[in-house]
Amino acid sequence: MKTKQRRSISSESKKPSNDYTYRTIQLATPQVEYFTSRSTTASVEKKFHKLGKHRNEQNQQLNKTINYDDQSLRNSLLYQNEDWGKFEFPSWLKGRTDFMKLRKSKHFDYHLQVFSICEQDPFRRSEELIEIVANYLVKLDFFRLMPLKMIKQISSRLQAKSYEEDEIICNKGDRGDSMYVVFDGKVEVLGQKKLVLGPKSLIDRTALEFDYFRNNTLQAVTVTHLLILNRIEYITILNHNMKAEHSNHEKFIKSHQLFSHFPDERINKFCSVLQGKFLTINETLYNAGDMIDYLYIVKQGTLARQIVMDLEDQNRWPINQKKWLSQIITRTISFNIEYEIGQLVGYSDIIDSDFDSDKKRKETIYAKTDCFLLYVSKSQFFQVFNQIDIQYFQNYQNQYPPLTQEQLVKDTRQKQTEQKQKLQMVNQAIYSHLRQFSFDYETLKKKEQKFEQVTKNQKKASREFTNRYKLIRREKKNKIITLENY
């Protein structure tokens, strides 16, 4: 006889008997940790492990190389975090009150988390937090062309500060040693009519390069959160990356026709004094009337010089057999001269001017796209190259002269004159061809009037015929009705 044995059900026996494992997910915050769990199969766990391993390999590869031209690798890494914001949470989790409060906190919101990270001590920020800030900065105009490693270094030094409504951020005349990034809120520039800056706006970007005093007073319109980048920290990071890119700059300068014949020692010395400069769209590099102080080389992007000229046209037509009436029409034409990758900007001004001359710029140069420039001061340029080299540069300029505004105006007017001559030749050819057929204008006009009169008569006859036809039909119908009545 078989007896059934009863065994107590312990807490361990209540575990699921399938091959599911439980993976813990941290919902992200350096201060408060929120945990939840979801079930995943072993195959899914394996995929997560491979994905994390592949991402670590990409980060290690990126940290070893800094390349200003390779944008694909940087963008692929920075935009990976955007997929987390598109994740759809299950409905049972969305309905929980604690989860709803969590989603409104700065520890959960990916955007608000950037500001909370910048409020922390720069030396206590982890790589994950720095990458979150870098993902925000790469979408701004000024940081778009920077290499990923440089953006991460800036993200580790970025600071945050909040201002109440109507609070003064800085006064006119204060020392400008930092750049502001409007993270949230609005900032009004006092002294200028209706100039209010919103989120992602850059304020006092030139403070990162020059030690100067604030030109205007800044005031917070609403509760405003600003990200602050100090000039000393920015210059330190930029110089560090310039040294890391020294070999690439040597290859770039050596490939230029102007510097190709110089020895490697001279190129190395020239690249050691080169500095870097980032420009955003429509930002001015220098204006007409500024001092001639730097020579620029376009490394990335496009610079442009706008030229405006007035062209005069004279129209004449006869009033009678002896008098002619004339009118002068002035047309304003504006177009751009572009400087692309590898071209020199301000080169002729440096070569034509002596070391101690006080000559000034003759044109205004601005950035047509986001640009990265290599530049060297006039004093350092004359220290690297001797008098024989300067003579070579002057001969090169005479052989390949730059396009001046006076030459451009002269060429444009010459082209316009040529177009007028061609137009006159075409008109004369048309008139001579028409004269072969000996058309009489008055005869042609009479024939047109006769044709119009015939057309009118035809339309009138057609209307009369239609009216008569309707009248005959009506009379015939009335006769039929009367016969039927009889």
Side-chain angles (χ1 to χ4, degrees), residues 28-166:
T29 165
Q31 300 174 355
V32 184
E33 295 182 352
Y34 300 90
F35 291 94
T36 183
S37 62
R38 63 179 182 184
S39 60
T40 58
T41 61
S43 60
V44 176
E45 285 287 337
K46 191 174 181 181
K47 290 181 179 179
F48 276 121
H49 179 70
K50 288 184 178 179
L51 183 62
K53 186 177 179 181
H54 178 64
R55 187 172 181 180
N56 291 333
E57 291 176 356
Q58 284 184 332
N59 288 331
Q60 291 177 2
Q61 180 184 359
L62 185 64
N63 292 331
K64 292 179 182 179
T65 59
I66 305 174
N67 190 357
Y68 287 94
D69 300 325
D70 189 5
Q71 301 291 328
S72 59
L73 182 60
R74 180 188 59 169
N75 293 336
S76 63
L77 291 176
L78 285 177
Y79 286 98
Q80 282 177 357
N81 288 332
E82 291 187 353
D83 296 336
W84 172 257
K86 300 177 183 178
F87 179 77
E88 187 68 23
F89 293 96
S91 57
W92 62 268
L93 185 60
K94 291 181 180 179
R96 292 178 61 92
T97 56
D98 54 352
F99 181 74
M100 293 170 63
K101 292 180 180 179
L102 174 62
R103 294 193 69 172
K104 296 179 181 180
S105 65
K106 65 181 180 180
H107 306 299
F108 187 90
D109 193 309
Y110 189 82
H111 182 71
L112 296 178
Q113 198 175 11
V114 174
F115 189 79
S116 63
I117 293 171
C118 295
E119 289 179 324
Q120 300 177 15
D121 187 357
F123 298 98
R124 294 184 179 180
R125 299 175 190 174
S126 62
E127 288 293 330
E128 291 78 9
L129 301 181
I130 291 174
E131 188 175 353
I132 292 175
V133 180
N135 191 15
Y136 171 79
L137 293 181
V138 76
K139 301 172 186 176
L140 303 181
D141 293 337
F142 178 63
F143 304 93
R144 189 173 295 145
L145 287 182
M146 294 183 183
L148 177 61
K149 189 172 183 179
M150 183 176 176
I151 295 179
K152 285 186 176 182
Q153 291 173 352
I154 293 176
S155 302
S156 63
R157 294 291 181 266
L158 210 60
Q159 299 178 359
K161 191 173 182 180
S162 300
Y163 294 89
E164 298 296 330
E165 184 178 354
D166 297 332

Side-chain angles (χ1 to χ4, degrees), residues 187-233:
V187 176
E188 182 179 3
V189 182
L190 301 181
Q192 299 188 16
K193 296 181 179 179
K194 296 182 180 180
L195 182 56
V196 179
L197 304 176
K200 296 185 178 181
S201 298
L202 306 179
I203 304 176
D204 284 345
R205 201 203 66 73
T206 54
L208 297 178
E209 300 171 358
F210 306 103
D211 189 6
Y212 80 117
F213 298 97
R214 304 287 185 185
N215 297 327
N216 298 285
T217 300
L218 303 179
Q219 184 179 11
V221 179
T222 60
V223 178
T224 305
H225 305 291
L226 299 180
L227 303 179
I228 304 173
L229 178 60
N230 187 268
R231 181 178 67 252
I232 297 177
E233 294 179 346

Side-chain angles (χ1 to χ4, degrees), residues 284-297:
T284 302
L285 179 62
Y286 58 79
N287 293 302
D290 292 349
M291 297 297 296
I292 301 174
D293 47 3
Y294 294 105
L295 167 67
Y296 300 94
I297 306 174

Side-chain angles (χ1 to χ4, degrees), residues 254 258-264 266-267 385 389 392-393:
K254 191 70 175 178
L258 182 62
F259 303 98
S260 59
H261 78 287
F262 285 100
D264 294 339
R266 191 73 56 82
I267 297 296
F385 300 102
D389 299 333
Y392 165 76
F393 290 144

Side-chain angles (χ1 to χ4, degrees), residues 212-335:
Y212 80 117
F213 298 97
R214 304 287 185 185
N215 297 327
N216 298 285
T217 300
L218 303 179
Q219 184 179 11
V221 179
T222 60
V223 178
T224 305
H225 305 291
L226 299 180
L227 303 179
I228 304 173
L229 178 60
N230 187 268
R231 181 178 67 252
I232 297 177
E233 294 179 346
Y234 170 75
I235 293 177
T236 304
I237 295 171
L238 180 60
N239 291 338
H240 174 75
N241 284 271
M242 288 294 293
K243 290 180 180 178
E245 282 287 302
H246 184 81
S247 59
N248 292 333
H249 293 161
E250 282 188 359
K251 296 178 182 178
F252 178 73
I253 297 298
K254 191 70 175 178
S255 62
H256 198 281
Q257 184 180 0
L258 182 62
F259 303 98
S260 59
H261 78 287
F262 285 100
D264 294 339
E265 295 180 358
R266 191 73 56 82
I267 297 296
N268 186 13
K269 186 178 180 181
F270 179 63
C271 292
S272 62
V273 297
L274 285 177
Q275 303 179 51
K277 184 181 182 69
F278 292 93
L279 289 178
T280 57
I281 299 177
N282 296 327
E283 186 177 358
T284 302
L285 179 62
Y286 58 79
N287 293 302
D290 292 349
M291 297 297 296
I292 301 174
D293 47 3
Y294 294 105
L295 167 67
Y296 300 94
I297 306 174
V298 181
K299 184 69 167 59
Q300 267 189 298
T302 303
L303 295 176
R305 174 162 61 108
Q306 187 177 25
I307 301 227
V308 180
M309 63 178 66
D310 295 331
L311 299 178
E312 295 182 353
D313 295 333
Q314 185 176 8
N315 294 334
R316 299 175 68 247
W317 58 91
I319 299 177
N320 50 39
Q321 294 181 354
K322 295 183 178 180
K323 291 184 179 181
W324 286 70
L325 184 64
S326 63
Q327 182 181 10
I328 297 176
I329 301 174
T330 303
R331 294 185 297 113
T332 301
I333 300 177
S334 62
F335 50 90

